[in-house]
Amino acid sequence: MAKSRMPRVLTVRAFAKINLDLQVLGLRPDGYHELRTTFQAIALSDTLTFRKSRGPFRIECDDPAFPVDRTNLIWKAAERVLRLAGTREAPSGMTVRVQKNIPMQSGLGGGSSNAAAALRALCVLWRVPASAAELHHAAAMIGADVPYFLEGGTALGFHRGDLLCPLDDIEPSWVVIVVPEFGVSTKDAFGWWDETRRERQDREEGQDGRDGQDRRYGKQRRAPVPSAARNMKSSNDLQHVVAKRHPIVSKLVRTLINEGAFQASLSGSGSAVFGLFRRRSDAQAAARRLAGPRTFVTPTLSRRACQRLAAK
Ligand code: C5P
């Protein structure tokens, strides 16, 4: 492309996701957990404006809780793009303005989605040609969920969630998202899952040693979670361990089902809980009854819609 036609400013949208299901299959040798999950893109999004500027690399956001230093995944994406260009220089000459709508620490993938959007935008603005495989690798080095956001739509994620298999788009649905006041760190949630598994293993070993006596007691002890969470079948293996620390999660899932959602669960490692509805009006009615400062109604997005809308 001729130099004069290269943009100085680029605005992109970074979509959120929900996990329609999530199975934790075990601990991997690299310390991550082996997953099988179905990602689904939703229209709730952040807007990122990249502007060439003088001086150091800068991230700006009106939300004071949003990190603007090198721990931000946008910064890590900038470093990765420079590596693809063959340099280990520190990023500079760019200001990224983030309009943050996706709540942080909510399991909606906001940070990862920002990173994927930054990889794409900075490759354009810094004129770094990268193949799809190179982009995917760079994304996976930033975080397990980042590669998904290069694809969007409905996709199965294996390994750490970074080995992807695109699926046919689901029937368009309306999503009610409720984000409780607290956030959950992904690392903590997986740590809780490890704890629960260790406790269960200890109990099972202890039980084997009792020659099977007092089976009723054994059965009761095997349940690792409080009764409210235990009675709920969830499509997300992290839900019961998060609900054990934050019982409001189970309550919100139950409320969404009672309000008519055909599916409801925790998204990722939380803290957001979502319910799926066929009709927008039903979703809006449920959201009104659940009224809270962080309740959203948003449609699911097909893969094509993600690609089209990402370039705002
Ligand atoms: O890859 P990302 O930085 O988003 O992951 C955050 C943390 O979540 C990891 O450090 C790890 O503790 C945990 N995690 C995991 N298994 C995964 C994904 C994340 O244990 N598949």
Side-chain angles (χ1 to χ4, degrees):
M1 202 186 285
K3 195 171 181 180
S4 58
R5 297 186 60 190
M6 287 306 296
R8 285 188 61 78
V9 181
L10 199 54
T11 298
V12 295
R13 276 170 67 184
F15 296 100
K17 59 85 179 158
I18 51 175
N19 297 78
L20 296 177
D21 55 32
L22 191 155
Q23 274 177 275
V24 185
L25 302 174
L27 190 60
R28 294 163 51 94
D30 61 8
Y32 273 75
H33 291 75
E34 186 71 22
L35 299 186
R36 184 194 179 282
T37 186
T38 310
F39 294 110
Q40 174 60 53
I42 54 175
L44 176 68
S45 62
D46 293 337
T47 302
L48 278 63
T49 302
F50 297 80
R51 190 179 302 273
K52 287 187 181 173
S53 58
R54 287 183 200 282
F57 190 79
R58 270 208 307 273
I59 301 172
E60 299 175 348
C61 182
D62 291 338
D63 182 346
F66 189 68
V68 293
D69 59 6
R70 58 192 62 225
T71 63
N72 190 303
L73 297 191
I74 294 171
W75 201 299
K76 294 194 192 299
E79 289 170 344
R80 286 282 154 194
V81 173
L82 291 179
R83 282 219 194 167
L84 285 171
T87 165
R88 283 179 185 260
E89 273 173 36
S92 65
M94 188 71 62
T95 299
V96 188
R97 171 122 209 113
V98 183
Q99 190 195 313
K100 195 79 198 140
N101 302 314
I102 307 171
M104 288 173 266
Q105 291 210 315
S106 64
L108 299 173
S112 300
S113 182
N114 287 180
L119 280 177
R120 277 222 195 88
L122 292 172
C123 279
V124 173
L125 287 166
W126 284 337
R127 281 187 268 180
V128 178
S131 66
E134 285 171 327
L135 268 187
H136 181 103
H137 177 74
M141 296 303 287
I142 300 170
D145 279 359
V146 183
Y148 163 72
F149 290 101
L150 296 170
E151 310 277 339
T154 311
L156 268 182
F158 299 97
H159 289 184
R160 301 181 310 150
D162 52 347
L163 177 69
L164 294 164
C165 172
L167 295 179
D168 287 348
D169 292 316
I170 62 163
E171 203 177 310
S173 305
W174 287 89
V175 191
V176 175
I177 294 173
V178 187
V179 187
E181 278 168 14
F182 56 89
V184 174
S185 123
T186 307
K187 195 168 188 256
D188 287 352
F190 280 104
W192 298 335
W193 187 89
D194 291 339
E195 233 173 74
T196 302
R197 193 180 66 156
R198 269 196 306 273
E199 283 166 13
R200 193 187 311 134
Q201 279 170 348
D202 288 352
R203 266 197 305 274
E204 280 169 4
E205 279 162 23
Q207 202 173 314
D208 287 348
R210 282 202 309 275
D211 273 333
Q213 51 175 304
D214 195 355
R215 296 181 63 178
R216 191 159 163 262
Y217 174 65
K219 250 188 206 159
Q220 279 183 352
R221 290 196 65 207
R222 203 176 298 167
V225 289
S227 59
R230 189 180 5 166
N231 295 334
M232 300 246 317
K233 256 204 337 223
S234 169
S235 53
N236 181 338
D237 284 352
L238 294 175
Q239 184 173 306
H240 70 277
V241 297
V242 174
K244 191 175 167 185
R245 277 86 187 168
H246 300 288
I248 183 77
V249 164
S250 307
K251 194 168 167 236
L252 286 170
V253 170
R254 263 197 313 275
T255 306
L256 282 160
I257 294 288
N258 290 340
E259 288 294 336
F262 64 85
Q263 187 187 329
S265 80
L266 187 75
S267 181
S269 53
S271 60
V273 169
F274 71 87
L276 295 179
F277 294 80
R278 293 266 173 250
R279 294 209 312 244
R280 181 184 196 169
S281 54
D282 292 342
Q284 285 172 328
R288 270 196 301 276
R289 282 190 290 269
L290 276 153
R294 300 210 291 174
T295 299
F296 307 88
V297 177
T298 185
T300 55
L301 284 184
S302 67
R303 184 167 304 106
R304 262 183 81 187
C306 288
Q307 307 283 340
R308 200 178 57 233
L309 294 170
K312 196 185 171 206

